[in-house]
Amino acid sequence: MTIDLPTPARPLKIGTRGSPLALAQAHETRDRLARAFDLPPDAFEVCVIQTTGDRVQDRPLKELGGKGLFTREIEAAMLTGQIDIAVHSMKDMPVLQPEGLVLDCYLPREDPRDAFVSNLHAALADIPEGATVGTSSLRRRAQLLVRRPDLTVVEFRGNVQTRLRKLSEGVACATFLAMAGLNRLGRPEVARGALDPADMLPAVAQGAIGIERRADDSRTAAMLDAIHDQRTGEQLAAERAFLAALDGSCETPIAGLAERNGTTLRLRGEILRPDGTESLSDDQSAPVEDGAELGRAMAAALLERAGPGFFDFRT
Ligand SMILES: NCc1[nH]cc(CCC(=O)O)c1CC(=O)O
């Protein structure tokens, strides 16, 4: 099939949020497409779109409520044809896309692990009794409190710069970021180290970039096919099936990581009470092609063990 490729006069429009990380991800997508089709950079146009999640900086995201806080405006622009594709951090993406949009192209996954960040301590185990750590992630908060109920956890929003400033101001003695984000920003040195998934299992799809398009746009589908990473697709099939079967939103502490070893896919999954008083986890393997089924089965088994009300806040 011959593809009607974009040109500088008719560029492919790439929608993205405006944060430094989002822009780095959009540029990586543009560069991969340009290389795959031998196109000049100006055959693409990067279009920055502000989302509700970007606009509201002063409140925890969970108070804003609703799904797709970082995606709604971008998806609307795609449906009206203002942009052709949207580049997303897959860990922020709901498991279902709006009618008319498809999300099935993934770039090669970066390091999925969480980074330990602190000026005072070299590793998580060195944090003293009763210390204060910063994170706005329900998952990281619950995972920390399960292992270290002595710690106090405070809200920590904002970009990498903001969080590092809060650390130097002494608001908290440590925080956690995705290794992937630091690597893509060219700031790997910010991490004192990467946390072993056995100690802190990452969020579902952490480190993966997904590219969304209109369902009826076959030219774009053909272009994205050339840069899709199958291995990442296999991992995310299992992790996102796990998340979907748990009905995961940003309000439920859920972690999941799939890793391929030969023809086998190993899936580790964890659900936690939001207050960090209990964690349930599982670790199973299956043939790679059965990843989605593995994810669904693990979710069902964990929900069974959890019983009703597991995700409710105990106030
Ligand atoms: N929730 C925000 C978010 N979404 C994606 C990343 C990092 C990059 C990635 O996981 O791909 C981050 C920041 C963080 O957790 O440090």
Side-chain angles (χ1 to χ4, degrees):
M1 183 179 85
T2 51
I3 304 174
D4 176 24
L5 291 170
T7 63
R10 277 189 322 117
L12 185 90
K13 295 192 177 157
I14 304 177
T16 175
R17 297 169 50 204
S19 74
L21 178 59
L23 287 173
Q25 296 183 162
H27 292 147
E28 179 178 340
T29 303
R30 177 197 62 197
D31 294 347
R32 285 181 185 276
L33 284 169
R35 225 178 304 136
F37 294 96
D38 199 21
L39 292 167
D42 59 353
F44 303 88
E45 187 184 332
V46 173
C47 309
V48 171
I49 296 171
Q50 201 186 45
T51 66
T52 305
D54 297 309
R55 220 166 25 242
V56 185
Q57 285 292 335
D58 54 346
R59 281 184 288 162
L61 292 176
K62 47 188 171 287
E63 277 176 24
L64 288 171
K67 284 190 178 166
L69 286 175
F70 289 104
T71 53
R72 212 178 297 142
E73 289 84 353
I74 296 177
E75 291 178 328
M78 203 155 24
L79 287 166
T80 60
Q82 270 171 275
I83 55 170
D84 298 303
I85 60 174
V87 181
H88 304 287
S89 287
M90 283 305 296
K91 97 163 162 182
D92 299 327
M93 293 307 283
V95 284
L96 290 176
Q97 277 52 65
E99 183 80 35
L101 298 178
V102 173
L103 179 53
D104 63 2
C105 171
Y106 307 123
L107 302 188
R109 194 176 199 174
E110 248 286 351
D111 191 335
R113 295 174 298 175
D114 282 312
F116 179 72
V117 181
S118 173
N119 302 319
L120 300 172
H121 310 296
L124 184 52
D126 300 335
I127 295 182
E129 173 98 30
T132 298
V133 299
T135 180
S136 290
S137 153
L138 264 184
R139 169 188 62 90
R140 290 175 180 141
R141 186 183 120 91
Q143 287 173 323
L144 280 169
L145 291 175
V146 160
R147 289 163 184 80
R148 291 288 306 271
D150 59 289
L151 298 179
T152 298
V153 180
V154 294
E155 286 287 341
F156 240 46
R157 275 203 65 198
N159 60 27
V160 173
Q161 272 64 39
T162 311
R163 298 191 205 192
L164 293 180
R165 196 194 66 233
K166 287 185 185 174
L167 280 188
S168 61
E169 287 168 353
V171 178
C173 76
T175 189
F176 303 85
L177 290 164
M179 284 299 299
L182 294 175
N183 289 341
R184 289 199 164 105
L185 286 169
R187 299 287 309 274
E189 77 285 354
V190 167
R192 293 299 288 265
L195 294 167
D196 186 333
D199 295 326
M200 187 179 274
L201 194 66
V204 161
Q206 186 158 300
I209 295 173
I211 303 157
E212 196 176 16
R213 62 174 167 87
R214 282 182 297 278
D216 62 3
D217 183 354
S218 52
R219 172 190 80 158
T220 302
M223 287 186 70
L224 294 183
D225 199 40
I227 60 166
H228 173 64
D229 185 68
Q230 196 187 327
R231 222 181 152 87
T232 302
E234 292 161 357
Q235 295 181 319
L236 265 60
E239 293 172 24
R240 281 171 58 85
F242 175 68
L243 185 67
L246 289 168
D247 192 27
S249 70
C250 297
E251 284 143 76
T252 41
I254 294 170
L257 178 63
E259 290 162 302
R260 184 178 175 154
N261 195 337
T263 59
T264 302
L265 198 72
R266 174 190 185 193
L267 177 64
R268 282 179 278 183
E270 182 183 23
I271 61 176
L272 301 106
R273 285 196 188 268
D275 59 9
T277 52
E278 192 181 355
S279 150
L280 296 173
S281 55
D282 203 350
D283 183 344
Q284 305 279 343
S285 295
V288 172
E289 59 275 18
D290 298 338
E293 205 176 302
L294 176 63
R296 281 190 292 272
M298 186 175 289
L302 285 173
L303 285 175
E304 174 79 35
R305 282 166 61 195
F310 184 83
F311 289 124
D312 296 349
F313 277 95
R314 291 196 284 197
T315 45

